[in-house]
Amino acid sequence: MIDQLQATLTAAHRSGDRQAAGEAYRMLGETYRTLNRAQAALDHFEQALMLFREIGDRGEEAATLRVIGMTYYDTGQYSVALDIFRQGLTLQREGGDRAGEAIALYNMAATYADLDQHAEALKYFLKALDIFTALRDRAGEGSVLAHIGEAFRALKRPKDAINYYRQALNIFHETDNPRHAAITLNNIGELDAADGRYEEAVEHYQAALAIHRDVDNPRSETITLLNFGRAYHALDQVPEAIEYFQKALTLARRIDNPWLESSALLEYGDMLLTLGQFAGAASALSEAVALKENFAYPDVEQARAKLSEARSKIHKK
């Protein structure tokens, strides 16, 4: 693919076709981005941007700014990404590109969310929603509604979060988007559980789990299995809680996800600790601590405290 694009670029330069050269540079950049070669991607995007500015193609300039912003976003350079997205937003508004404007607003909102500036994120998501709704872009509308739910959740406004999640869920069903429907069902279940409505949470987890399995989304399936275990633990349904924590652990290991594996080990170990099975708890929690230390996960101190408690109980027996 890269060789073909390089040949296209060489031919464009030879013929003096700056439009074609700009497009080739951008396609090369997009290829390098998919290969996680961010600097190579940026180098080619910048060449494309320069050519599009030279020929005055504002639409291609805006499109190139978007992928430059996304590349900085991919690498965690959120402040730089925001600045690039703003430049693109200005061009799209000047050119009357409403769809492009909505995408730029969406990208800015998502970046603010990753910066934990959730009030700003909400403001830009709502602006994007207005445009997607006006354009009757149901897919875009559903995605933004789900993110608005996330923003309200981060702002500790669970009723508003559930309201927007439900609107998103309706659109995901309407537009045949089962993967995101399942994730949204899981999110609603988490809010149910946070409010003590564990039976309702279980119902939402059951609906989510069936879809996760149907669309083969093992990562999200593992998250929902963990949530099942937590809900059953809260309901004092111990056998069910252990069953789901074990299922989550097995699946996390199968997909080689150390974060989910360590979470399942922590939950399972804590469950065994509650049951007085201190040796088993210490074994699971020791594995959890090792993983969390190795990957510098933020809840490592919680796992260490649980492990210390399990070991102290063993010594007292």
Side-chain angles (χ1 to χ4, degrees):
M1 181 66 175
I2 290 175
D3 289 343
Q4 291 176 338
L5 290 171
Q6 289 285 7
T8 300
L9 177 61
T10 299
H13 278 308
R14 284 175 179 166
S15 65
D17 188 341
R18 288 184 293 173
Q19 182 77 36
E23 291 171 1
Y25 272 122
R26 193 175 68 203
M27 290 178 68
L28 277 163
E30 289 171 352
T31 302
Y32 283 120
R33 183 178 169 223
T34 63
L35 295 171
N36 295 316
R37 295 176 59 182
Q39 191 54 58
L42 289 169
D43 290 343
H44 286 82
F45 288 146
E46 292 292 347
Q47 290 293 325
L49 187 64
M50 179 182 68
L51 287 168
F52 290 138
R53 283 173 171 167
E54 286 178 0
I55 63 178
D57 190 329
R58 306 283 271 178
E60 292 292 345
E61 180 183 351
T64 305
L65 284 167
R66 179 168 63 246
V67 289
I68 291 173
M70 289 305 303
T71 306
Y72 280 115
Y73 178 91
D74 293 342
T75 57
Q77 299 181 65
Y78 299 130
S79 296
V80 179
L82 270 176
D83 181 60
I84 300 295
F85 289 145
R86 283 194 191 96
Q87 293 179 47
L89 178 62
T90 298
L91 288 176
Q92 279 143 350
R93 282 175 169 165
E94 289 175 354
D97 180 359
R98 295 284 280 164
E101 181 183 351
I103 292 170
L105 289 164
Y106 177 95
N107 288 338
M108 291 177 68
T111 308
Y112 277 121
D114 281 308
L115 289 168
D116 291 327
Q117 297 182 33
H118 299 290
E120 281 296 297
L122 178 60
K123 180 172 72 175
Y124 282 92
F125 278 135
L126 288 168
K127 289 179 179 179
L129 178 62
D130 286 342
I131 299 175
F132 282 127
T133 302
L135 295 173
R136 299 186 179 182
D137 182 339
R138 296 293 275 170
E141 191 178 348
S143 180
V144 174
L145 284 165
H147 280 286
I148 291 172
E150 288 293 316
F152 276 124
R153 184 177 180 180
L155 292 168
K156 303 189 185 307
R157 293 171 58 179
K159 290 183 179 179
D160 290 317
I162 287 179
N163 175 34
Y164 278 92
Y165 280 148
R166 291 191 182 282
Q167 292 181 61
L169 182 61
N170 288 336
I171 293 177
F172 292 145
H173 286 316
E174 173 194 322
T175 57
D176 192 23
N177 188 340
R179 182 175 292 262
H180 285 95
I183 291 168
T184 304
L185 283 162
N186 177 80
N187 291 341
I188 294 172
E190 288 176 349
L191 288 172
D192 287 335
D195 200 37
R197 301 189 304 275
Y198 298 111
E199 291 86 355
E200 292 178 42
V202 166
E203 289 179 7
H204 285 110
Y205 297 149
Q206 286 172 335
L209 187 63
I211 302 173
H212 290 323
R213 288 172 172 168
D214 189 50
V215 301
D216 191 22
N217 187 350
R219 182 183 181 279
S220 293
E221 181 182 345
T222 308
I223 292 169
T224 299
L225 288 168
L226 280 169
N227 284 334
F228 260 119
R230 293 172 184 131
Y232 282 126
H233 190 177
L235 289 167
D236 292 324
Q237 296 184 31
V238 174
E240 290 84 355
I242 289 176
E243 176 190 354
Y244 279 98
F245 287 143
Q246 289 175 330
K247 287 180 177 179
L249 179 58
T250 299
L251 187 52
R253 284 173 169 164
R254 180 167 69 80
I255 63 175
D256 193 23
N257 187 309
W259 165 248
L260 291 174
E261 181 182 354
S262 69
S263 297
L265 285 163
L266 177 57
E267 296 284 2
Y268 181 54
D270 187 37
M271 187 88 252
L272 294 178
L273 186 59
T274 302
L275 293 171
Q277 299 179 27
F278 303 129
S283 176
L285 291 167
S286 179
E287 290 184 68
V289 167
L291 281 169
K292 290 180 184 297
E293 287 179 342
N294 187 45
F295 291 94
Y297 291 142
D299 58 346
V300 64
E301 289 303 325
Q302 179 188 358
R304 286 173 180 154
K306 290 290 183 181
L307 177 59
S308 177
E309 182 182 352
R311 286 173 172 169
S312 69
K313 294 286 178 64
I314 292 172
H315 294 314
K316 288 179 182 178
K317 288 184 67 176

mmCIF file with all atom_site columns, all heavy atoms in Angstrom, residues 92-112:
data_model
loop_
_atom_site.group_PDB
_atom_site.id
_atom_site.type_symbol
_atom_site.label_atom_id
_atom_site.label_alt_id
_atom_site.label_comp_id
_atom_site.label_asym_id
_atom_site.label_entity_id
_atom_site.label_seq_id
_atom_site.pdbx_PDB_ins_code
_atom_site.Cartn_x
_atom_site.Cartn_y
_atom_site.Cartn_z
_atom_site.occupancy
_atom_site.B_iso_or_equiv
_atom_site.pdbx_formal_charge
_atom_site.auth_seq_id
_atom_site.auth_comp_id
_atom_site.auth_asym_id
_atom_site.auth_atom_id
_atom_site.pdbx_PDB_model_num
ATOM 1   N N   . GLN A 1 92  ? -14.394 25.128 8.530  1.00 0.00 ? 92  GLN A N   1
ATOM 2   C CA  . GLN A 1 92  ? -15.650 24.468 8.174  1.00 0.00 ? 92  GLN A CA  1
ATOM 3   C C   . GLN A 1 92  ? -16.832 25.418 8.315  1.00 0.00 ? 92  GLN A C   1
ATOM 4   O O   . GLN A 1 92  ? -17.769 25.385 7.517  1.00 0.00 ? 92  GLN A O   1
ATOM 5   C CB  . GLN A 1 92  ? -15.825 23.210 9.035  1.00 0.00 ? 92  GLN A CB  1
ATOM 6   C CG  . GLN A 1 92  ? -15.023 22.040 8.472  1.00 0.00 ? 92  GLN A CG  1
ATOM 7   C CD  . GLN A 1 92  ? -14.404 21.145 9.535  1.00 0.00 ? 92  GLN A CD  1
ATOM 8   O OE1 . GLN A 1 92  ? -14.386 21.457 10.721 1.00 0.00 ? 92  GLN A OE1 1
ATOM 9   N NE2 . GLN A 1 92  ? -13.879 20.013 9.097  1.00 0.00 ? 92  GLN A NE2 1
ATOM 10  N N   . ARG A 1 93  ? -16.763 26.291 9.305  1.00 0.00 ? 93  ARG A N   1
ATOM 11  C CA  . ARG A 1 93  ? -17.831 27.283 9.451  1.00 0.00 ? 93  ARG A CA  1
ATOM 12  C C   . ARG A 1 93  ? -17.778 28.295 8.310  1.00 0.00 ? 93  ARG A C   1
ATOM 13  O O   . ARG A 1 93  ? -18.815 28.677 7.762  1.00 0.00 ? 93  ARG A O   1
ATOM 14  C CB  . ARG A 1 93  ? -17.698 27.987 10.802 1.00 0.00 ? 93  ARG A CB  1
ATOM 15  C CG  . ARG A 1 93  ? -18.227 27.145 11.967 1.00 0.00 ? 93  ARG A CG  1
ATOM 16  C CD  . ARG A 1 93  ? -17.993 27.794 13.306 1.00 0.00 ? 93  ARG A CD  1
ATOM 17  N NE  . ARG A 1 93  ? -18.722 27.103 14.364 1.00 0.00 ? 93  ARG A NE  1
ATOM 18  C CZ  . ARG A 1 93  ? -18.497 27.268 15.651 1.00 0.00 ? 93  ARG A CZ  1
ATOM 19  N NH1 . ARG A 1 93  ? -17.547 28.113 16.059 1.00 0.00 ? 93  ARG A NH1 1
ATOM 20  N NH2 . ARG A 1 93  ? -19.209 26.608 16.547 1.00 0.00 ? 93  ARG A NH2 1
ATOM 21  N N   . GLU A 1 94  ? -16.570 28.704 7.941  1.00 0.00 ? 94  GLU A N   1
ATOM 22  C CA  . GLU A 1 94  ? -16.428 29.663 6.837  1.00 0.00 ? 94  GLU A CA  1
ATOM 23  C C   . GLU A 1 94  ? -16.938 29.060 5.534  1.00 0.00 ? 94  GLU A C   1
ATOM 24  O O   . GLU A 1 94  ? -17.520 29.763 4.699  1.00 0.00 ? 94  GLU A O   1
ATOM 25  C CB  . GLU A 1 94  ? -14.968 30.081 6.686  1.00 0.00 ? 94  GLU A CB  1
ATOM 26  C CG  . GLU A 1 94  ? -14.459 30.976 7.820  1.00 0.00 ? 94  GLU A CG  1
ATOM 27  C CD  . GLU A 1 94  ? -12.970 31.256 7.692  1.00 0.00 ? 94  GLU A CD  1
ATOM 28  O OE1 . GLU A 1 94  ? -12.330 30.666 6.789  1.00 0.00 ? 94  GLU A OE1 1
ATOM 29  O OE2 . GLU A 1 94  ? -12.454 32.067 8.490  1.00 0.00 ? 94  GLU A OE2 1
ATOM 30  N N   . GLY A 1 95  ? -16.713 27.752 5.355  1.00 0.00 ? 95  GLY A N   1
ATOM 31  C CA  . GLY A 1 95  ? -17.127 27.100 4.111  1.00 0.00 ? 95  GLY A CA  1
ATOM 32  C C   . GLY A 1 95  ? -18.545 26.571 4.138  1.00 0.00 ? 95  GLY A C   1
ATOM 33  O O   . GLY A 1 95  ? -18.997 25.994 3.145  1.00 0.00 ? 95  GLY A O   1
ATOM 34  N N   . GLY A 1 96  ? -19.231 26.747 5.265  1.00 0.00 ? 96  GLY A N   1
ATOM 35  C CA  . GLY A 1 96  ? -20.607 26.261 5.361  1.00 0.00 ? 96  GLY A CA  1
ATOM 36  C C   . GLY A 1 96  ? -20.732 24.755 5.400  1.00 0.00 ? 96  GLY A C   1
ATOM 37  O O   . GLY A 1 96  ? -21.782 24.193 5.058  1.00 0.00 ? 96  GLY A O   1
ATOM 38  N N   . ASP A 1 97  ? -19.658 24.084 5.848  1.00 0.00 ? 97  ASP A N   1
ATOM 39  C CA  . ASP A 1 97  ? -19.664 22.619 5.919  1.00 0.00 ? 97  ASP A CA  1
ATOM 40  C C   . ASP A 1 97  ? -20.244 22.211 7.271  1.00 0.00 ? 97  ASP A C   1
ATOM 41  O O   . ASP A 1 97  ? -19.524 22.059 8.258  1.00 0.00 ? 97  ASP A O   1
ATOM 42  C CB  . ASP A 1 97  ? -18.241 22.093 5.759  1.00 0.00 ? 97  ASP A CB  1
ATOM 43  C CG  . ASP A 1 97  ? -18.151 20.575 5.827  1.00 0.00 ? 97  ASP A CG  1
ATOM 44  O OD1 . ASP A 1 97  ? -19.197 19.927 6.026  1.00 0.00 ? 97  ASP A OD1 1
ATOM 45  O OD2 . ASP A 1 97  ? -17.032 20.039 5.683  1.00 0.00 ? 97  ASP A OD2 1
ATOM 46  N N   . ARG A 1 98  ? -21.551 22.009 7.316  1.00 0.00 ? 98  ARG A N   1
ATOM 47  C CA  . ARG A 1 98  ? -22.218 21.727 8.582  1.00 0.00 ? 98  ARG A CA  1
ATOM 48  C C   . ARG A 1 98  ? -21.816 20.349 9.136  1.00 0.00 ? 98  ARG A C   1
ATOM 49  O O   . ARG A 1 98  ? -21.634 20.194 10.345 1.00 0.00 ? 98  ARG A O   1
ATOM 50  C CB  . ARG A 1 98  ? -23.732 21.788 8.390  1.00 0.00 ? 98  ARG A CB  1
ATOM 51  C CG  . ARG A 1 98  ? -24.239 23.174 8.039  1.00 0.00 ? 98  ARG A CG  1
ATOM 52  C CD  . ARG A 1 98  ? -24.252 24.077 9.262  1.00 0.00 ? 98  ARG A CD  1
ATOM 53  N NE  . ARG A 1 98  ? -25.425 23.822 10.108 1.00 0.00 ? 98  ARG A NE  1
ATOM 54  C CZ  . ARG A 1 98  ? -25.535 24.234 11.367 1.00 0.00 ? 98  ARG A CZ  1
ATOM 55  N NH1 . ARG A 1 98  ? -24.547 24.867 11.943 1.00 0.00 ? 98  ARG A NH1 1
ATOM 56  N NH2 . ARG A 1 98  ? -26.640 23.984 12.053 1.00 0.00 ? 98  ARG A NH2 1
ATOM 57  N N   . ALA A 1 99  ? -21.704 19.358 8.273  1.00 0.00 ? 99  ALA A N   1
ATOM 58  C CA  . ALA A 1 99  ? -21.294 18.036 8.749  1.00 0.00 ? 99  ALA A CA  1
ATOM 59  C C   . ALA A 1 99  ? -19.882 18.084 9.322  1.00 0.00 ? 99  ALA A C   1
ATOM 60  O O   . ALA A 1 99  ? -19.606 17.531 10.396 1.00 0.00 ? 99  ALA A O   1
ATOM 61  C CB  . ALA A 1 99  ? -21.383 17.023 7.623  1.00 0.00 ? 99  ALA A CB  1
ATOM 62  N N   . GLY A 1 100 ? -18.979 18.768 8.618  1.00 0.00 ? 100 GLY A N   1
ATOM 63  C CA  . GLY A 1 100 ? -17.610 18.916 9.108  1.00 0.00 ? 100 GLY A CA  1
ATOM 64  C C   . GLY A 1 100 ? -17.554 19.698 10.401 1.00 0.00 ? 100 GLY A C   1
ATOM 65  O O   . GLY A 1 100 ? -16.757 19.397 11.297 1.00 0.00 ? 100 GLY A O   1
ATOM 66  N N   . GLU A 1 101 ? -18.418 20.709 10.514 1.00 0.00 ? 101 GLU A N   1
ATOM 67  C CA  . GLU A 1 101 ? -18.490 21.496 11.747 1.00 0.00 ? 101 GLU A CA  1
ATOM 68  C C   . GLU A 1 101 ? -18.905 20.614 12.919 1.00 0.00 ? 101 GLU A C   1
ATOM 69  O O   . GLU A 1 101 ? -18.335 20.690 14.013 1.00 0.00 ? 101 GLU A O   1
ATOM 70  C CB  . GLU A 1 101 ? -19.481 22.643 11.569 1.00 0.00 ? 101 GLU A CB  1
ATOM 71  C CG  . GLU A 1 101 ? -19.625 23.536 12.786 1.00 0.00 ? 101 GLU A CG  1
ATOM 72  C CD  . GLU A 1 101 ? -20.664 24.628 12.605 1.00 0.00 ? 101 GLU A CD  1
ATOM 73  O OE1 . GLU A 1 101 ? -21.156 24.806 11.476 1.00 0.00 ? 101 GLU A OE1 1
ATOM 74  O OE2 . GLU A 1 101 ? -20.989 25.308 13.610 1.00 0.00 ? 101 GLU A OE2 1
ATOM 75  N N   . ALA A 1 102 ? -19.900 19.760 12.701 1.00 0.00 ? 102 ALA A N   1
ATOM 76  C CA  . ALA A 1 102 ? -20.375 18.874 13.763 1.00 0.00 ? 102 ALA A CA  1
ATOM 77  C C   . ALA A 1 102 ? -19.271 17.920 14.211 1.00 0.00 ? 102 ALA A C   1
ATOM 78  O O   . ALA A 1 102 ? -19.097 17.684 15.417 1.00 0.00 ? 102 ALA A O   1
ATOM 79  C CB  . ALA A 1 102 ? -21.589 18.088 13.291 1.00 0.00 ? 102 ALA A CB  1
ATOM 80  N N   . ILE A 1 103 ? -18.529 17.385 13.257 1.00 0.00 ? 103 ILE A N   1
ATOM 81  C CA  . ILE A 1 103 ? -17.443 16.456 13.594 1.00 0.00 ? 103 ILE A CA  1
ATOM 82  C C   . ILE A 1 103 ? -16.353 17.179 14.384 1.00 0.00 ? 103 ILE A C   1
ATOM 83  O O   . ILE A 1 103 ? -15.813 16.641 15.357 1.00 0.00 ? 103 ILE A O   1
ATOM 84  C CB  . ILE A 1 103 ? -16.873 15.814 12.319 1.00 0.00 ? 103 ILE A CB  1
ATOM 85  C CG1 . ILE A 1 103 ? -17.921 14.893 11.693 1.00 0.00 ? 103 ILE A CG1 1
ATOM 86  C CG2 . ILE A 1 103 ? -15.599 15.032 12.616 1.00 0.00 ? 103 ILE A CG2 1
ATOM 87  C CD1 . ILE A 1 103 ? -17.568 14.399 10.306 1.00 0.00 ? 103 ILE A CD1 1
ATOM 88  N N   . ALA A 1 104 ? -16.021 18.417 13.987 1.00 0.00 ? 104 ALA A N   1
ATOM 89  C CA  . ALA A 1 104 ? -15.004 19.185 14.711 1.00 0.00 ? 104 ALA A CA  1
ATOM 90  C C   . ALA A 1 104 ? -15.451 19.463 16.138 1.00 0.00 ? 104 ALA A C   1
ATOM 91  O O   . ALA A 1 104 ? -14.665 19.342 17.088 1.00 0.00 ? 104 ALA A O   1
ATOM 92  C CB  . ALA A 1 104 ? -14.710 20.487 13.970 1.00 0.00 ? 104 ALA A CB  1
ATOM 93  N N   . LEU A 1 105 ? -16.714 19.836 16.304 1.00 0.00 ? 105 LEU A N   1
ATOM 94  C CA  . LEU A 1 105 ? -17.248 20.077 17.648 1.00 0.00 ? 105 LEU A CA  1
ATOM 95  C C   . LEU A 1 105 ? -17.204 18.804 18.484 1.00 0.00 ? 105 LEU A C   1
ATOM 96  O O   . LEU A 1 105 ? -16.849 18.830 19.669 1.00 0.00 ? 105 LEU A O   1
ATOM 97  C CB  . LEU A 1 105 ? -18.685 20.601 17.551 1.00 0.00 ? 105 LEU A CB  1
ATOM 98  C CG  . LEU A 1 105 ? -18.846 22.026 17.013 1.00 0.00 ? 105 LEU A CG  1
ATOM 99  C CD1 . LEU A 1 105 ? -20.292 22.276 16.607 1.00 0.00 ? 105 LEU A CD1 1
ATOM 100 C CD2 . LEU A 1 105 ? -18.408 23.053 18.063 1.00 0.00 ? 105 LEU A CD2 1
ATOM 101 N N   . TYR A 1 106 ? -17.566 17.704 17.863 1.00 0.00 ? 106 TYR A N   1
ATOM 102 C CA  . TYR A 1 106 ? -17.527 16.401 18.539 1.00 0.00 ? 106 TYR A CA  1
ATOM 103 C C   . TYR A 1 106 ? -16.098 16.068 18.980 1.00 0.00 ? 106 TYR A C   1
ATOM 104 O O   . TYR A 1 106 ? -15.869 15.629 20.120 1.00 0.00 ? 106 TYR A O   1
ATOM 105 C CB  . TYR A 1 106 ? -18.063 15.348 17.580 1.00 0.00 ? 106 TYR A CB  1
ATOM 106 C CG  . TYR A 1 106 ? -18.026 13.931 18.078 1.00 0.00 ? 106 TYR A CG  1
ATOM 107 C CD1 . TYR A 1 106 ? -19.136 13.359 18.686 1.00 0.00 ? 106 TYR A CD1 1
ATOM 108 C CD2 . TYR A 1 106 ? -16.883 13.142 17.919 1.00 0.00 ? 106 TYR A CD2 1
ATOM 109 C CE1 . TYR A 1 106 ? -19.113 12.039 19.133 1.00 0.00 ? 106 TYR A CE1 1
ATOM 110 C CE2 . TYR A 1 106 ? -16.853 11.833 18.360 1.00 0.00 ? 106 TYR A CE2 1
ATOM 111 C CZ  . TYR A 1 106 ? -17.957 11.294 18.960 1.00 0.00 ? 106 TYR A CZ  1
ATOM 112 O OH  . TYR A 1 106 ? -17.925 9.991  19.404 1.00 0.00 ? 106 TYR A OH  1
ATOM 113 N N   . ASN A 1 107 ? -15.134 16.259 18.087 1.00 0.00 ? 107 ASN A N   1
ATOM 114 C CA  . ASN A 1 107 ? -13.742 15.962 18.416 1.00 0.00 ? 107 ASN A CA  1
ATOM 115 C C   . ASN A 1 107 ? -13.236 16.852 19.546 1.00 0.00 ? 107 ASN A C   1
ATOM 116 O O   . ASN A 1 107 ? -12.499 16.391 20.429 1.00 0.00 ? 107 ASN A O   1
ATOM 117 C CB  . ASN A 1 107 ? -12.856 16.120 17.184 1.00 0.00 ? 107 ASN A CB  1
ATOM 118 C CG  . ASN A 1 107 ? -13.053 15.006 16.171 1.00 0.00 ? 107 ASN A CG  1
ATOM 119 O OD1 . ASN A 1 107 ? -13.511 13.923 16.510 1.00 0.00 ? 107 ASN A OD1 1
ATOM 120 N ND2 . ASN A 1 107 ? -12.724 15.274 14.925 1.00 0.00 ? 107 ASN A ND2 1
ATOM 121 N N   . MET A 1 108 ? -13.609 18.119 19.519 1.00 0.00 ? 108 MET A N   1
ATOM 122 C CA  . MET A 1 108 ? -13.211 19.019 20.592 1.00 0.00 ? 108 MET A CA  1
ATOM 123 C C   . MET A 1 108 ? -13.821 18.579 21.922 1.00 0.00 ? 108 MET A C   1
ATOM 124 O O   . MET A 1 108 ? -13.156 18.569 22.963 1.00 0.00 ? 108 MET A O   1
ATOM 125 C CB  . MET A 1 108 ? -13.619 20.453 20.262 1.00 0.00 ? 108 MET A CB  1
ATOM 126 C CG  . MET A 1 108 ? -12.836 21.062 19.115 1.00 0.00 ? 108 MET A CG  1
ATOM 127 S SD  . MET A 1 108 ? -13.397 22.726 18.682 1.00 0.00 ? 108 MET A SD  1
ATOM 128 C CE  . MET A 1 108 ? -12.885 23.642 20.154 1.00 0.00 ? 108 MET A CE  1
ATOM 129 N N   . ALA A 1 109 ? -15.091 18.194 21.886 1.00 0.00 ? 109 ALA A N   1
ATOM 130 C CA  . ALA A 1 109 ? -15.765 17.744 23.106 1.00 0.00 ? 109 ALA A CA  1
ATOM 131 C C   . ALA A 1 109 ? -15.088 16.507 23.674 1.00 0.00 ? 109 ALA A C   1
ATOM 132 O O   . ALA A 1 109 ? -14.847 16.422 24.893 1.00 0.00 ? 109 ALA A O   1
ATOM 133 C CB  . ALA A 1 109 ? -17.236 17.468 22.806 1.00 0.00 ? 109 ALA A CB  1
ATOM 134 N N   . ALA A 1 110 ? -14.786 15.551 22.804 1.00 0.00 ? 110 ALA A N   1
ATOM 135 C CA  . ALA A 1 110 ? -14.135 14.322 23.270 1.00 0.00 ? 110 ALA A CA  1
ATOM 136 C C   . ALA A 1 110 ? -12.772 14.618 23.880 1.00 0.00 ? 110 ALA A C   1
ATOM 137 O O   . ALA A 1 110 ? -12.359 13.992 24.865 1.00 0.00 ? 110 ALA A O   1
ATOM 138 C CB  . ALA A 1 110 ? -13.989 13.343 22.105 1.00 0.00 ? 110 ALA A CB  1
ATOM 139 N N   . THR A 1 111 ? -12.073 15.598 23.313 1.00 0.00 ? 111 THR A N   1
ATOM 140 C CA  . THR A 1 111 ? -10.759 15.971 23.840 1.00 0.00 ? 111 THR A CA  1
ATOM 141 C C   . THR A 1 111 ? -10.892 16.632 25.203 1.00 0.00 ? 111 THR A C   1
ATOM 142 O O   . THR A 1 111 ? -10.122 16.342 26.132 1.00 0.00 ? 111 THR A O   1
ATOM 143 C CB  . THR A 1 111 ? -10.033 16.902 22.849 1.00 0.00 ? 111 THR A CB  1
ATOM 144 O OG1 . THR A 1 111 ? -10.030 16.305 21.554 1.00 0.00 ? 111 THR A OG1 1
ATOM 145 C CG2 . THR A 1 111 ? -8.603  17.145 23.287 1.00 0.00 ? 111 THR A CG2 1
ATOM 146 N N   . TYR A 1 112 ? -11.862 17.526 25.354 1.00 0.00 ? 112 TYR A N   1
ATOM 147 C CA  . TYR A 1 112 ? -12.111 18.125 26.669 1.00 0.00 ? 112 TYR A CA  1
ATOM 148 C C   . TYR A 1 112 ? -12.440 17.043 27.697 1.00 0.00 ? 112 TYR A C   1
ATOM 149 O O   . TYR A 1 112 ? -12.012 17.116 28.857 1.00 0.00 ? 112 TYR A O   1
ATOM 150 C CB  . TYR A 1 112 ? -13.248 19.142 26.588 1.00 0.00 ? 112 TYR A CB  1
ATOM 151 C CG  . TYR A 1 112 ? -12.831 20.509 26.123 1.00 0.00 ? 112 TYR A CG  1
ATOM 152 C CD1 . TYR A 1 112 ? -13.390 21.083 24.977 1.00 0.00 ? 112 TYR A CD1 1
ATOM 153 C CD2 . TYR A 1 112 ? -11.889 21.252 26.825 1.00 0.00 ? 112 TYR A CD2 1
ATOM 154 C CE1 . TYR A 1 112 ? -13.010 22.346 24.544 1.00 0.00 ? 112 TYR A CE1 1
ATOM 155 C CE2 . TYR A 1 112 ? -11.498 22.518 26.403 1.00 0.00 ? 112 TYR A CE2 1
ATOM 156 C CZ  . TYR A 1 112 ? -12.067 23.061 25.266 1.00 0.00 ? 112 TYR A CZ  1
ATOM 157 O OH  . TYR A 1 112 ? -11.683 24.316 24.842 1.00 0.00 ? 112 TYR A OH  1
#
